[in-house]
Every structure is written in C-alpha cells, then in structure tokens.
C-alpha cells in the first residue's frame, strides 16, 4: 500500500493513499456491514480511516455514531496499525447558519471524539468547516493547545481555501504554534455541475485552488474522490446505469470529455476506470490521497486495486487534457 507523508508533532506520519471514508457507518450502513467493510479494507493493507464527529449524528443528538462504530471495531480487533482521522467544529445540522468554528467548540468536539473512538490521541484532527469571519488568531491557539497536550498528532483544514490555510499557518509559524500540515477538499476527475452542487459555499479543487496548493506545499486528501462512481459506471455499464441525481450532478460536457480520456488512458496503461479515477488523485504531481466511500466489500476491493498504482505525470495529465 502506497503512503502519503505529512508533518506531525515529533516527526512524520504516514497515511494510506486510499483512505476508507466512514460517513454512513452505523446509520446508512448498519454496524455489522460496516465492520465487514473495515475488515476487508484492513485485510487488503489499508490503514487509514476518515470519520467526523458529525457523521451519523443526523438528528443532532450529540451522538458520533460513525466514531463509535470505529471505536468498538478497534477495541475488538486490537489493531495498532490504524491511523485515525476525524473532524470537528462542524455546525449543528439543525442550525447550519450558526458557525461552531471556535475554541470552545473545538475543545468540546475533540473530547467527544476521543471518548467515542476510545483513544488518548487522534492522529490527524481536521476542522470540518471554516468561518472566514473568524480570525485565525482565535482558532489556531486551541489546536496548538491540543497538540501540546498530546491529544492530536497533526492538524488539518477541511473545506478551507488554500488562502485561509496560508493565513492560518503564517500566524501559527510567527507564534511558534502547530500549523496545518494537510487539507481535505472536494476533488475528483469528474466535474460538478454548478446548478446541482449541494455544497456551493465549499471550495472545489479548481485550477485556482490547485495552483495555490502547489505553492502552499501541503498534501491534500480528496473527498468525493470517485464522484459517486460516475466514470466507472459509464464505462462499465453505460450512461443508463446512472441515477438521475448522479447524472444531473456530474454528467456534463467536462466530465464526458474526461471519460473519453479515461477510456484512452485505460487502454494505454492497461488499468481499470476505477484505477484511473483514483490514480488521478494518488499519482498526481500535487501529493494526494483519495478518500473512498464503499458500501460493499466488492467496492472495497475495486478501490483498493488502485492502492499500489503507478501512473506517470504524463498519464495523469492526459486524464484532464
């Protein structure tokens, strides 16, 4: 399994290039099936899980269901090789207009995640959302405090622009505090149709952000990395296999051109559409890892077939030509 390395307190931390996303664990995917997916992923060499305090807490009961499922699995399997990523400071789903990007909310969510996961330290802790109106001077000290207390090894920014990360890191560096060493952003080979973008306020990995991240110099974890499998479904089953939602959201002129590119690269490189879609992230000149959302062990195996993929920069460039 190929890894991506990020800076952390005390040195470096390796994350799997293919990261298991766990958003519906314990809710949309029952716990027994979630455990089967975790076992399959770990059995194939996967070692990094991505979760969040809000995952599964769809009724705002302050119950981090996804984290609790993972915590029980970890205690039962006693796995020591798993790297844990979780996220906090997300708004309450009942009151999305009320930002929770604050020192108090960071501390509250972190302590809840530690309890739910059953660990003393979280490997990578992300702020799940940004609030550009909140000065970084009010945010970074709370994260630095948790790093110094040994509760977090590395900190990351999820759904922040590269410009805000740069601003936060400049403040942290000038004040001897922990910096963001990794980002999560929506990034895939498929293009999101603006009219059907369910998160219009969140940054996408477009040309502007891509150039900014190259200059910023930190790795990026891609959520929505397979865009609901649109490319694989079209090439393996045809356009009719797409649901109306997926068709509206992703099947546009840009995605159609890229699907043609994928077909050509697959023939040239002797790889599958899934490998091409994930390889666009994991073999990108911008250091990246792909968070995958799987609902069956077959999908886990399909995604993990890209775990050790090697694509040249030229092949990656052909995918978006």
């Amino acid at each position: 399994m190929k890894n991506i390395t990020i800076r952390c307190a005390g040195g470096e931390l390796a994350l799997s290039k293919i990261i298991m996303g766990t958003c519906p664990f314990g809710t949309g995917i029952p716990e027994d099936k979630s455990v089967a997916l975790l076992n399959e992923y770990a059995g194939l060499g996967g070692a990094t899980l991505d979760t969040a305090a809000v995952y599964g807490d769809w009724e705002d009961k302050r119950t981090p269901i996804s984290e609790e499922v993972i915590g029980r699995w970890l205690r039962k399997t006693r796995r020591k090789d798993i790297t844990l990523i979780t996220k906090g400071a997300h708004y309450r789903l009942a009151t999305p207009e009320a930002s929770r990007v604050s020192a108090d909310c960071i501390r509250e969510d972190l302590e809840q995640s530690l309890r739910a996961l059953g660990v003393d330290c979280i490997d990578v802790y992300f702020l799940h959302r940004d609030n550009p109106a909140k000065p970084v001077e009010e945010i970074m000290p709370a994260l630095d405090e948790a790093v110094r207390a040994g509760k977090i090894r590395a900190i990351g920014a999820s759904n922040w622009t590269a410009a805000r990360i740069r601003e936060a890191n400049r403040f942290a560096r000038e004040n001897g505090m922990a910096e963001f060493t990794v980002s999560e952003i929506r990034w895939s080979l498929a293009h999101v149709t603006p009219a059907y973008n369910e998160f219009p306020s969140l940054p996408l990995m477009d040309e502007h952000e891509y150039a900014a991240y190259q200059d910023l110099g930190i790795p990026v974890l891609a959520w929505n990395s397979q865009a609901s499998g649109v490319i694989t479904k079209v090439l393996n089953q045809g356009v009719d296999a797409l649901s109306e939602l997926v068709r509206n959201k992703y099947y546009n002129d840009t995605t159609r051109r890229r699907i043609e590119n994928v077909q050509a690269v697959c023939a040239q490189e002797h790889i599958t559409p899934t490998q091409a879609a994930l390889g666009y992230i994991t073999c990108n000149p911008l250091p990246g890892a792909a968070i995958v959302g799987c609902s069956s062990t077959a999908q886990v195996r399909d995604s993990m077939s890209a775990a050790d993929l090697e694509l040249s920069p030229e092949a990656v460039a052909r995918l978006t030509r």
Side-chain angles (χ1 to χ4, degrees):
M1 161 68 81
K2 291 173 63 179
N3 291 326
I4 190 169
T5 302
I6 67 171
R7 289 179 288 116
C8 70
E12 294 183 334
L13 179 65
L15 308 178
S16 299
K17 280 275 191 172
I18 304 295
I19 297 171
M20 173 66 80
T22 66
C23 181
F25 281 18
T27 50
I29 300 178
E31 183 161 352
D32 59 343
K33 190 172 182 181
S34 299
V35 167
L37 298 178
L38 290 168
N39 287 336
E40 188 73 19
Y41 173 72
L44 292 169
T48 305
L49 306 180
D50 177 271
T51 186
V54 75
Y55 289 171
D57 188 21
W58 315 133
E59 298 179 3
D60 282 332
K61 294 181 177 179
R62 315 295 190 267
T63 305
I65 295 175
S66 172
E67 290 180 327
E68 290 175 346
V69 168
I70 293 168
R72 285 190 287 271
W73 177 74
L74 287 171
R75 288 190 291 275
K76 184 175 180 179
T77 60
R78 294 180 171 82
R79 296 193 68 95
K80 303 297 184 184
D81 57 339
I82 296 296
T83 303
L84 292 175
I85 297 171
T86 195
K87 301 179 283 291
H90 194 285
Y91 55 79
R92 300 297 185 199
L93 298 184
T95 53
E97 71 283 355
S99 170
R100 297 185 63 255
V101 182
S102 69
D104 287 344
C105 291
I106 291 168
R107 295 185 188 104
E108 177 186 350
D109 286 0
L110 173 59
E111 293 301 327
Q112 176 183 260
S113 292
L114 289 166
R115 290 193 300 271
L117 291 164
V119 297
D120 297 322
C121 178
I122 290 166
D123 295 300
V124 191
Y125 193 77
F126 279 88
L127 296 189
H128 208 162
R129 288 290 190 270
D130 187 17
N131 178 3
K134 179 75 70 172
V136 295
E137 291 84 352
E138 297 182 26
I139 300 171
M140 302 307 287
L143 293 169
D144 181 69
E145 170 190 292
V147 172
R148 292 179 184 276
K151 297 179 179 181
I152 299 171
R153 295 182 66 191
I155 59 173
S158 179
N159 301 307
W160 285 45
T161 64
R164 272 282 281 180
I165 296 173
R166 180 182 299 281
E167 179 188 1
N169 280 358
R170 182 184 302 114
F171 168 78
R173 191 161 47 250
E174 290 173 352
N175 290 276
M177 296 180 180
E179 300 178 34
F180 290 127
T181 59
V182 62
S183 172
E184 274 194 23
I185 191 172
R186 191 175 197 172
W187 183 20
S188 77
L189 194 53
H191 180 72
V192 181
T193 304
Y196 291 93
N197 183 358
E198 72 274 44
F199 300 113
S201 65
L202 301 186
L204 290 163
M205 184 64 90
D206 55 18
E207 291 182 2
H208 172 78
E209 286 295 312
Y210 187 88
Y213 273 109
Q214 285 182 310
D215 186 53
L216 190 60
I218 64 173
V220 178
L221 313 185
W223 66 267
N224 195 226
S225 64
Q226 297 181 88
S228 300
V230 59
I231 291 172
T232 297
K233 287 176 183 175
V234 169
L235 289 177
N236 288 347
Q237 304 172 53
V239 177
D240 291 342
L242 300 179
S243 68
E244 182 179 3
L245 177 63
V246 172
R247 186 194 297 257
N248 288 337
K249 192 184 296 186
Y250 302 112
Y251 197 62
N252 47 57
D253 288 343
T254 299
T255 300
R256 281 191 284 272
R257 286 194 298 270
R258 291 183 175 185
I259 288 173
E260 293 174 358
N261 293 345
V262 168
Q263 193 168 29
V265 170
C266 286
Q268 293 163 356
E269 303 290 335
H270 306 291
I271 60 176
T272 68
T274 294
Q275 290 171 332
L278 293 175
Y280 170 67
I281 305 294
T282 63
C283 302
N284 202 283
L286 175 63
I291 301 170
V292 299
C294 302
S295 58
S296 70
T297 53
Q299 289 180 357
V300 175
R301 290 191 292 273
D302 188 35
S303 294
M304 290 296 283
S305 72
D308 295 310
L309 183 68
E310 296 281 356
L311 286 180
S312 68
E314 292 75 23
V316 172
R318 288 201 301 270
L319 291 170
T320 55
R321 181 177 299 164

